[in-house]
Amino acid sequence: MKKPASVSQLSPLEARAEHARLAEDIAAHDVAYHQKDAPVISDAAYDALRRRYEELEAAFPELVEATASLSRKVGAAPSEKFGKVRHVVPMLSLSNIFEAPEAGEFVERVRRFLGLAVDHPLAFTAEPKIDGLSCSIRYERGELVQAATRGDGYEGEDVTANVRTIREIPHRLKGDAPAVLEVRGEIYMRKQDFAAMNARQEAEGEKIFANPRNAAAGSLRQLDPAITAKRPLHFFAYAWGDMSEAPASTQMGMIEAFQSLGLPTNPQTVLCQTPDDLVAFYRHIEENRSSLDYDIDGVVYKVDDLALRERLGFVSRSPRWAVAHKFPAEQAITTLRGIDIQVGRTGALTPVARLEPVTVGGVVVTNATLHNEDEIARKDVRVGDTVVVQRAGDVIPQIVSVVLDKRPKDAKAYAFAHTCPACGSAAVRELDAKGEADAVRRCTGGLVCPAQAVERLKHFASRNAFDIEGLGDKQIEFFHERGLIRTPADIFTLQARDSDPATLTKIRNFEGFGETSVRNLFAAIEARRRVPLNRFIFALGIRHVGETNARRLARHFETFDALRAVARAAGDEASEARAELRNIEGVGDVVAEAVADFFVEEHNEAVLDALLREVTPEPMEQVKNDSPVAGKTIVFTGALERMTREEAKAMAERLGAKVAGSVSKKTDLVVAGPGAGSKLAKAEGFGVEVITEDQWFERVGAG
Ligand code: IVH
């Protein structure tokens, strides 16, 4: 996307034109978001428009005067559908910050305004910023009398009847309530409820909502309160408007007062003394975001002392005493350059979106998953389209939607290949027992497909299978391309063939391989001629046989010969052998069938015979009780460079350790990679031992 000129380079005329254009765009987006509950751009894109608009006004103050500037308004005017409610105390907005140092700047601004010395105590609350819609609920003598949406901040919509249907919101406050109390907070929908509701809506051919926030807004803003009543809405009270007397003198005190009046409040609210405390809480919430059952888009910092807040007051549309520290945008807009089809170990064809690089959630993204054929069709994703990319937590980036307005005229609907791009074999969608087509299209090339073969070899040598050091994905591709390794047995004959005078080029002469690395590789291969049975079975890459099922089979059969004998006899569904497989604890029909299918295949038998001439499966690996980490609780955090999280977990568990997701006093050891954040800080706080990934390998003797 073209970068706009810096505001300072614009002439007053250009600035005025852009300001007017932006005002129109923003107003249209406000209507789409606030009135129709159907935004057309991401929050991040909207924030960017708004920021540019404010930059223009800062550089050209006359623009603020010239128009009824949007920067004085929040949201959009209330829709005509509902009665109007004038807010006695306006419902304003918060200014945003995006970077940690800005938290310090915020605190500094507050101190300066109040004339407080650096060492004068100043407390703040930090609380999650709930991604729902704000609502003001008026209680008179403890009775709920009116509820209103924010609207434009001054006038909102009367949603009293709808709010009354929300179970969590009391019609009558408990205990001693002030004569007048306007409770403000967020109405939201839980993530699970949202998914279930959307599924129901889809089944009934009704409107699908883009996210829990829109679903909450759409559910509340129903003309028929009976519909709202059926929607799973919740509420958190965190602020107030008109109030006859204050039940407390701090934000924390107010939250406690709300709670004792019977109002729901967010338990994740803390009191902080320093900018570091604020940022530590922000990181903590950011890391645990996915485990919350509702969406949040940042953390709100508020001056705790209400008397100080009075002095601080407001500037334009936001209070000086609070700020929203937003999470980095998890969505961004970019162009889809192409769609590549990857062929997996089991022949699954996976479409991968190649994108114009874009920063999402603080990381540059160039690829995103498109899941499968139906997904592409459902979203009608076309090469050349402008797309919304989302990246949340550790999840692979995804394409959320297409910006249809920007579709090039010549963009053609994507035709998913019906042949494998690697071997040209037919690619089909298998039918399940009910006759429904599988979501995944698979290459039928099986053993002739080079892409599947390479993926199978990578799997065979990988850390949780044969674990051959120095034979990673790149090396496998290299040897496969040159015809030096085609089946697993070839790995073990590589050295013998390398010494063969018939081989013209020795491996050590290839680029990237030196004398030492080749010697090390051969030694690593030799060291794996004996391998625990569970790893041997897992390495075969039988469909549905992951590490856990491989262990189950190994435990049951004890030797490979025993497994093979039964599996060979299990081709017939009604056979005793099939029943034996099926009845192994945790195995079941699908796995039993996959195992039988594997051994029925003659080529697999030949590959196995060759492999068994080279390697010997040994008794199953026992969980080690004598390892240096046995019985310990370990947390992995930050970016690991030598193994994936999954591998790390499996490795630690094999060594008898427990792997936990968060650091507590009970944690024995934290393995921290680059970029480790609050977990590392917490470990240091608790005095838990912290080591690097390399030190981990040294400690467990796998360095
Ligand atoms: S305090 C003067 N606290 O964020 C404004 N707002 O951008 C006082 N929000 O309109 C608002 N969680 O809808 C506050 N814990 C929280 C919040 C929160 C979500 C929303 C609210 C507000 C918007 C401001």
Side-chain angles (χ1 to χ4, degrees):
M1 247 177 285
K2 211 178 108 211
K3 257 205 143 109
S6 144
V7 165
S8 59
Q9 291 168 344
L10 298 177
S11 72
L13 220 59
E14 287 170 327
R16 182 173 299 268
E18 186 178 345
H19 184 260
R21 212 167 43 238
L22 279 171
E24 209 170 289
D25 281 0
I26 292 172
H29 290 309
D30 281 343
V31 169
Y33 180 107
H34 291 284
Q35 290 185 4
K36 303 202 177 128
D37 304 319
V40 285
I41 59 170
S42 68
D43 287 3
Y46 178 84
D47 281 349
L49 292 180
R50 195 102 216 185
R51 231 172 301 153
R52 176 78 177 174
Y53 186 81
E54 281 160 17
E55 275 170 27
L56 284 169
E57 291 194 346
F60 300 90
E62 67 274 17
L63 295 175
V64 185
E65 312 302 327
T67 53
S69 168
L70 282 175
S71 50
R72 296 177 189 282
K73 284 202 287 175
V74 231
S79 116
E80 298 296 323
K81 292 199 294 190
F82 295 90
K84 289 187 186 140
V85 175
R86 187 118 207 119
H87 298 301
V88 180
V89 177
M91 288 183 81
L92 298 182
S93 188
L94 294 170
S95 52
N96 294 331
I97 62 171
F98 293 91
E99 307 291 338
E102 293 176 88
E105 291 162 20
F106 161 66
V107 172
E108 187 44 39
R109 267 199 309 280
V110 169
R111 283 186 179 281
R112 214 177 315 123
F113 190 92
L114 295 170
L116 294 183
V118 210
D119 52 354
H120 192 285
L122 178 63
F124 292 85
T125 57
E127 47 194 88
K129 185 171 186 303
I130 318 299
D131 204 2
L133 76 154
S134 47
C135 188
S136 185
I137 307 169
R138 187 175 174 95
Y139 289 90
E140 289 178 5
R141 285 174 298 283
E143 296 286 340
L144 191 166
V145 294
Q146 191 171 56
T149 63
R150 183 167 70 169
D152 64 5
Y154 300 97
E155 200 170 63
E157 296 150 335
D158 186 340
V159 286
T160 313
N162 305 42
V163 164
R164 280 186 197 280
T165 69
I166 302 176
R167 242 164 268 134
E168 217 164 55
I169 298 179
H171 290 189
R172 184 173 179 80
L173 294 176
K174 280 202 289 196
D176 235 358
V180 174
L181 174 61
E182 267 179 27
V183 178
R184 291 181 177 175
E186 206 81 354
I187 292 187
Y188 66 96
M189 195 178 278
R190 296 193 176 143
K191 293 186 223 172
Q192 276 189 343
D193 289 338
F194 161 71
M197 181 183 118
N198 250 359
R200 261 198 319 274
Q201 293 279 108
E202 186 167 17
E204 289 162 16
E206 297 288 334
K207 174 172 176 174
I208 307 266
F209 293 98
N211 52 47
R213 181 196 56 216
N214 296 135
S219 300
L220 183 70
R221 299 172 69 257
Q222 289 286 336
L223 283 178
D224 179 2
I227 299 183
T228 309
K230 288 195 203 131
R231 303 281 174 83
L233 294 175
H234 293 270
F235 182 70
F236 279 133
Y238 53 66
W240 52 93
D242 194 13
M243 181 161 67
S244 54
E245 73 227 64
S249 59
T250 60
Q251 171 77 15
M252 249 346 190
M254 286 298 290
I255 302 265
E256 279 156 22
F258 284 160
Q259 220 179 340
S260 48
L261 291 169
L263 291 157
T265 56
N266 191 323
Q268 309 265 4
T269 304
V270 296
L271 201 59
C272 297
Q273 307 295 337
T274 66
D276 285 350
D277 290 353
L278 294 174
V279 173
F281 180 74
Y282 172 89
R283 299 250 181 266
H284 164 72
I285 291 290
E286 187 180 30
E287 251 180 56
N288 294 292
R289 184 176 181 185
S290 57
S291 62
L292 294 177
D293 59 2
Y294 46 86
D295 274 350
I296 59 175
D297 59 348
V299 169
V300 184
Y301 307 144
K302 298 174 184 171
V303 171
D304 189 42
D305 185 323
L306 304 188
L308 294 181
R309 285 199 198 175
E310 276 296 313
R311 287 171 57 196
L312 284 156
F314 289 77
V315 53
S316 96
R317 59 184 191 132
S318 352
R320 265 196 205 89
W321 44 262
V323 77
H325 189 170
K326 301 263 280 222
F327 294 134
E330 291 193 314
Q331 288 195 347
I333 288 183
T334 190
T335 320
L336 178 64
R337 290 254 163 268
I339 297 176
D340 285 352
I341 302 291
Q342 283 180 350
V343 186
R345 175 161 59 84
T346 57
L349 304 191
T350 308
V352 178
R354 303 291 179 210
L355 304 167
E356 186 67 34
V358 63
T359 304
V360 195
V363 171
V364 177
V365 169
T366 49
N367 301 323
T369 175
L370 280 163
H371 302 286
N372 56 48
E373 189 172 351
D374 290 345
E375 190 77 3
I376 298 182
R378 193 169 67 75
K379 295 183 179 152
D380 187 17
V381 178
R382 304 181 181 192
V383 174
D385 268 344
T386 298
V387 291
V388 178
V389 186
Q390 175 164 301
R391 182 188 157 272
D394 292 338
V395 182
I396 302 168
Q398 316 193 2
I399 295 207
V400 184
S401 58
V402 173
V403 183
L404 287 176
D405 295 359
K406 301 219 168 135
R407 167 164 288 169
K409 284 201 183 58
D410 55 353
K412 290 190 192 61
Y414 184 75
F416 204 97
H418 285 203
T419 53
C420 171
C423 69
S425 304
V428 300
R429 295 175 65 168
E430 290 163 13
L431 299 182
D432 66 11
K434 282 192 242 144
E436 277 170 33
D438 189 0
V440 177
R441 188 173 284 278
R442 277 176 210 281
C443 158
T444 54
L447 299 160
V448 307
C449 177
Q452 286 187 49
V454 170
E455 294 306 313
R456 276 198 302 270
L457 286 165
K458 286 180 189 169
H459 172 78
F460 182 88
S462 68
R463 201 182 294 278
N464 293 350
F466 265 68
D467 189 19
I468 302 173
E469 185 81 32
L471 195 60
D473 291 0
K474 282 215 176 66
Q475 289 79 10
I476 294 275
E477 278 167 21
F478 176 91
F479 288 125
H480 188 265
E481 234 167 68
R482 280 164 185 74
L484 290 169
I485 297 180
R486 292 215 179 272
T487 75
D490 295 344
I491 295 172
F492 294 92
T493 58
L494 190 64
Q495 184 172 14
R497 284 180 288 129
D498 198 44
S499 320
D500 183 347
T503 317
L504 290 178
T505 316
K506 291 204 167 199
I507 297 168
R508 64 167 179 270
N509 297 327
F510 287 131
E511 205 183 308
F513 286 92
E515 190 81 44
T516 322
S517 68
V518 174
R519 204 172 326 115
N520 289 345
L521 174 62
F522 289 156
I525 293 172
E526 282 313 303
R528 295 291 182 267
R529 284 195 187 267
R530 310 187 77 82
V531 61
L533 179 58
N534 53 308
R535 281 177 177 262
F536 184 90
I537 298 171
F538 173 63
L540 298 179
I542 302 169
R543 234 171 126 188
H544 306 298
V545 180
E547 278 184 275
T548 309
N549 280 329
R551 275 177 189 282
R552 288 177 177 141
L553 292 168
R555 195 177 307 124
H556 181 86
F557 290 106
E558 291 181 8
T559 67
F560 188 69
D561 288 343
L563 164 66
R564 197 175 184 183
V566 170
R568 272 175 175 166
D572 178 1
E573 247 178 274
S575 63
E576 233 169 84
R578 177 70 76 86
E580 177 172 353
L581 281 174
R582 189 184 310 133
N583 291 335
I584 299 172
E585 170 89 46
V587 168
D589 266 350
V590 175
V591 180
E593 184 179 350
V595 171
D597 284 354
F598 182 88
F599 286 90
V600 160
E601 181 67 58
E602 263 173 46
H603 183 98
N604 285 341
E605 288 277 284
V607 165
L608 271 177
D609 285 335
L611 179 61
L612 287 167
R613 278 196 288 276
E614 303 297 331
V615 301
T616 314
E618 291 191 320
M620 172 167 158
E621 212 165 20
Q622 294 304 319
V623 167
K624 295 207 175 98
N625 296 322
D626 58 346
S627 91
V629 294
K632 300 232 154 86
T633 301
I634 301 178
V635 172
F636 292 93
T637 182
L640 300 179
E641 288 161 347
R642 295 172 59 180
M643 53 188 169
T644 63
R645 274 295 158 87
E646 213 176 300
E647 283 173 342
K649 183 162 187 278
M651 182 172 184
E653 284 172 355
R654 266 197 313 273
L655 294 164
K658 266 204 308 230
V659 178
S662 61
V663 176
S664 73
K665 280 192 213 114
K666 294 202 188 112
T667 310
D668 295 301
L669 183 66
V670 169
V671 181
S678 68
K679 287 188 196 172
L680 177 57
K682 229 169 157 190
E684 283 161 357
F686 286 135
V688 174
E689 187 187 4
V690 177
I691 60 172
T692 63
E693 192 181 358
D694 283 339
Q695 287 168 329
W696 160 260
F697 279 100
E698 274 163 35
R699 177 154 318 181
V700 300

